[in-house]
Amino acid sequence: MPVAAKSARMRYGWRMSSVSPRSPETPTSSVPAARRARKKSKTRADLLAAGTALFASRGFDETTTNDIAEAADVSQRTLFRHFATKEALLYGDMDEALDELRAGLAGRPSGEPVFTSLRRSLVGLAGNFEAHREGRLLQARLAAEYPSVSAYSRATVQLSWERAIIEGLAERLGEDPMLDPRPEIIAGATMSAVRIATRQWVASGGRADFVALVDAAMAVIPHLGELDLEMVRDSP
Amino acid sequence: MPVAAKSARMRYGWRMSSVSPRSPETPTSSVPAARRARKKSKTRADLLAAGTALFASRGFDETTTNDIAEAADVSQRTLFRHFATKEALLYGDMDEALDELRAGLAGRPSGEPVFTSLRRSLVGLAGNFEAHREGRLLQARLAAEYPSVSAYSRATVQLSWERAIIEGLAERLGEDPMLDPRPEIIAGATMSAVRIATRQWVASGGRADFVALVDAAMAVIPHLGELDLEMVRDSP
DNA sequence: TTGACTAATGTCAGCGACTGACATACCATG
DNA sequence: CATGGTATGTCAGTCGCTGACATTAGTCAA
């Protein structure tokens, strides 16, 4: 029961391309010259599995990178060749989610209203969360307990989503995101919506409907302007 | 010229209350029993000054915490008693900005429209930036160059502002921020506006009018709803 | 003034994330 | 099979950061 961990680390975490395990072509035959890639993928997958298991049972700070490497039967050095940081290892399966988000945004029909496109794209993210419920819940719980995990989530994982949204929206709007502030502003509001939805989803133990939660939070964005007229809070 | 630093560290950074240097009561007399506090403040100030100077001349990763401690003529252990992390030392003068933001929000008249309150409160932040131009520019430049600094800025500094805004808005709206998503959504959009404004301000070398920049970015928030109707981007 | 009390600092040993350098094993390819 | 490149192992080292304990020095009451 590490009391909100008094310490922890974090580095950024980008780079490291190495394609995710994915389906190795076809179980057999086809392209026989891929053993090397398959072994590499396996090493990565082993590390991911070992890390997840240890983090879940012991906690984040309580697990050393050496523990993980040994559990995966590789050297610590190999671990750090696959993952830039300990945190990156915890979020090692997040690339797919990013891809789905990007693809979702890019795939929306041209004439569709912006917020509709955004909401529909987030369905992809939501689906990914439900498809990896246990892993996502673990990540969320560790982020709630360990500051370094929380920081990594915000500064790396969520930032990558935000950037994907900014680029996707700018593309749809046909504007340069460095000149038109709207994509970035919308992305900021959207990330808040995603955090709200995630928090509620985690609180429900992953049983709530993620899509509905995101939609509910997203729904308030277009109505923010109405608040500008309200003269709230007359002291009772 | 560290090429976007290949490595760096970060921990969270909260805790550590120790009041900022502020005015030590009165130059003389008054409360003579405060030498201890003054010395502590001086140590902190020395560390801050040493850190700033070294970071500016050598870079962030290129400066060790030991370098800073020695430059300030204290032990490394003392440095870490004053600042939880190396990054927290770089942002050691940011508390004032947070206080101004909080106070600004709390001090706005009750009947004032929400966005007006927010914009006026951000004037405090802007003023703080202009009052500490060199320091803020250094922080921004280091954040652009070193991932660990950027991560800390996002995950700690900006998060504290965001929380202040959420709490301030919830208070004004008389709502529980855990039930009403609007404060958090607005805060997310606002933080994007602040980042946009900061980026432009830094690009201008700190010469642009920060208040005007924030206002310009904030101005689009109430009009986000209009985007929902647009059917943009008909391929040319 | 003196003598406890305690807050601030120093010292030291150590943990653990991460890295560079070099060696080795192994798959790929002509 | 020879050649080459890539994934991995080994090892030593850096650096941020921490716990434990000793020391210094304001503080405050008698």
Side-chain angles (χ1 to χ4, degrees):
Chain A
M1 252 132 266
V3 189
K6 268 194 45 183
S7 161
R9 280 183 189 71
M10 128 146 242
R11 311 208 170 185
Y12 38 111
W14 15 61
R15 64 167 144 147
M16 250 27 313
S17 47
S18 61
V19 204
S20 312
R22 306 205 185 282
S23 46
E25 298 303 334
T26 313
T28 161
S29 72
S30 158
V31 183
R35 181 146 48 195
R36 190 174 244 152
R38 254 180 294 129
K39 286 204 170 186
K40 188 176 180 184
S41 286
K42 183 179 187 314
T43 301
R44 184 189 156 94
D46 288 350
L47 284 166
L48 240 27
T52 303
L54 288 171
F55 289 151
S57 63
R58 290 191 206 166
F60 189 80
D61 288 351
E62 292 71 21
T63 304
T64 71
T65 52
N66 247 321
D67 292 338
I68 300 171
E70 282 188 15
D73 200 41
V74 296
S75 69
Q76 188 198 38
R77 195 67 183 81
T78 291
L79 183 158
F80 283 112
R81 285 206 182 89
H82 281 266
F83 302 95
T85 67
K86 198 178 166 186
E87 289 78 12
L89 170 60
L90 172 60
Y91 285 94
D93 65 340
M94 211 40 120
D95 297 358
E96 322 168 21
L98 220 204
D99 291 345
E100 284 184 64
L101 178 59
R102 260 200 274 262
L105 257 176
R108 295 271 88 208
S110 304
E112 191 174 57
V114 175
F115 281 101
T116 307
S117 296
L118 240 187
R119 293 224 288 258
R120 297 272 162 77
S121 302
L122 292 177
V123 170
L125 241 198
N128 181 288
F129 268 63
E130 314 222 295
H132 299 80
R133 197 180 327 260
E134 291 315 312
R136 300 288 175 248
L137 285 173
L138 174 63
Q139 289 161 349
R141 284 194 211 104
L142 294 178
E145 191 173 9
Y146 300 88
S148 76
V149 177
S150 164
Y152 184 86
S153 173
R154 276 236 168 203
T156 303
V157 179
Q158 293 175 42
L159 178 58
S160 72
W161 298 351
E162 189 176 331
R163 285 195 172 129
I165 292 172
I166 293 173
E167 282 158 29
L169 288 182
E171 170 74 19
R172 294 192 79 74
L173 292 172
E175 302 281 355
D176 178 345
M178 282 310 198
L179 299 178
D180 185 342
R182 293 176 304 169
E184 190 161 351
I185 301 271
I186 297 175
T190 302
M191 290 311 301
S192 280
V194 170
R195 281 189 291 267
I196 291 170
T198 303
R199 190 192 308 140
Q200 296 173 333
W201 185 75
V202 171
S204 80
R207 280 182 287 274
D209 180 355
F210 205 129
V211 174
L213 292 173
V214 179
D215 267 8
M218 289 290 293
V220 321
I221 303 182
H223 300 138
L224 256 30
E226 298 161 20
L227 259 181
D228 214 5
L229 307 173
E230 277 185 52
M231 306 284 178
V232 269
R233 192 191 178 211
D234 22 326
S235 35
Chain B
M1 257 134 267
V3 190
K6 270 193 41 182
S7 159
R9 279 179 191 73
M10 124 145 247
R11 311 207 172 185
Y12 35 112
W14 17 60
R15 63 165 145 149
M16 241 55 277
S17 48
S18 62
V19 204
S20 310
R22 306 205 186 281
S23 46
E25 297 304 334
T26 314
T28 162
S29 71
S30 162
V31 183
R35 182 146 46 195
R36 194 176 238 151
R38 257 181 290 129
K39 283 205 170 184
K40 189 176 179 183
S41 287
K42 183 180 186 314
T43 300
R44 184 189 156 95
D46 287 349
L47 283 165
L48 240 26
T52 304
L54 287 171
F55 289 151
S57 62
R58 291 190 204 166
F60 189 80
D61 288 350
E62 292 70 21
T63 303
T64 71
T65 52
N66 247 321
D67 293 339
I68 300 171
E70 284 189 11
D73 200 43
V74 295
S75 70
Q76 188 199 37
R77 197 66 184 81
T78 292
L79 184 158
F80 283 112
R81 286 206 183 91
H82 281 266
F83 302 95
T85 68
K86 198 178 164 185
E87 288 79 12
L89 170 60
L90 173 59
Y91 285 94
D93 65 340
M94 211 39 121
D95 297 358
E96 322 167 22
L98 219 204
D99 291 344
E100 284 184 63
L101 178 59
R102 261 200 273 261
L105 257 176
R108 294 271 90 208
S110 304
E112 192 175 57
V114 175
F115 281 101
T116 307
S117 296
L118 240 187
R119 294 225 288 259
R120 297 273 163 75
S121 302
L122 291 177
V123 170
L125 243 197
N128 182 288
F129 268 63
E130 313 222 296
H132 299 81
R133 198 183 324 265
E134 291 314 313
R136 299 290 175 245
L137 285 173
L138 174 63
Q139 289 161 348
R141 284 194 210 102
L142 294 178
E145 192 174 8
Y146 300 88
S148 75
V149 177
S150 165
Y152 183 86
S153 173
R154 276 234 169 206
T156 303
V157 180
Q158 292 175 41
L159 179 58
S160 71
W161 298 350
E162 189 176 332
R163 285 194 172 130
I165 292 173
I166 293 173
E167 282 157 29
L169 288 184
E171 170 74 19
R172 295 192 77 73
L173 292 172
E175 302 280 355
D176 179 345
M178 282 310 198
L179 299 178
D180 185 341
R182 293 176 303 169
E184 189 161 352
I185 301 271
I186 296 175
T190 302
M191 290 311 301
S192 280
V194 170
R195 281 190 291 268
I196 291 170
T198 303
R199 190 193 307 139
Q200 297 173 333
W201 185 74
V202 172
S204 80
R207 280 182 288 275
D209 180 356
F210 205 130
V211 173
L213 292 173
V214 178
D215 267 9
M218 288 292 293
V220 322
I221 302 181
H223 300 138
L224 254 31
E226 299 162 19
L227 258 181
D228 213 6
L229 306 173
E230 278 187 47
M231 306 284 180
V232 270
R233 192 187 179 216
D234 23 328
S235 35

